[in-house]
């Protein structure tokens, strides 16, 4: 469970954006990968102290990597 507010906010922004267009991220496998990667990220760094823009960029990058790895 993601407990860091900035991660949750960034994730919700991605979900809203993708819901309006490409819904690949809503695939169960992709969704689980995303939450696994974000939980791993939160366990390695004090995300609470990072600027929101930094966290958003990281979440965006993880989403992009997951989606691009499935389109290959």
């Amino acid at each position: 469970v993601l407990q860091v507010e900035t991660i949750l906010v960034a994730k919700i922004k991605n979900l809203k954006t993708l819901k309006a267009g490409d819904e690949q991220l809503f695939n169960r496998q992709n969704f689980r990968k995303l939450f696994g990667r974000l939980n791993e990220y939160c366990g390695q760094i004090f995300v609470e102290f990072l600027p929101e823009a930094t966290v958003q960029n990281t979440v965006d990058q993880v989403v992009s990597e997951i989606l691009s790895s499935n389109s290959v």
Side-chain angles (χ1 to χ4, degrees):
V1 175
L2 296 175
Q3 297 180 6
V4 179
E5 184 178 347
T6 52
I7 286 284
L8 185 57
V9 168
K11 176 70 181 101
I12 289 170
K13 286 180 182 177
N14 272 278
L15 289 174
K16 282 181 164 180
T17 301
L18 292 169
K19 184 67 176 169
D22 184 5
E23 295 187 12
Q24 287 183 44
L25 192 60
F26 291 88
N27 168 295
R28 179 177 170 85
Q29 180 182 359
N30 292 342
F31 202 79
R32 291 178 59 95
K33 277 186 202 177
L34 177 60
F35 272 90
R37 295 271 305 274
L38 294 179
N39 279 329
E40 192 177 302
Y41 172 66
C42 289
Q44 296 174 358
I45 191 165
F46 290 109
V47 178
E48 298 91 341
F49 301 111
L50 294 176
E52 187 175 328
T54 301
V55 175
Q56 183 68 56
N57 288 337
T58 300
V59 172
D60 292 347
Q61 181 180 352
V62 171
V63 168
S64 178
E65 288 171 7
I66 288 171
L67 294 179
S68 68
S69 71
N70 288 328
S71 65
V72 173

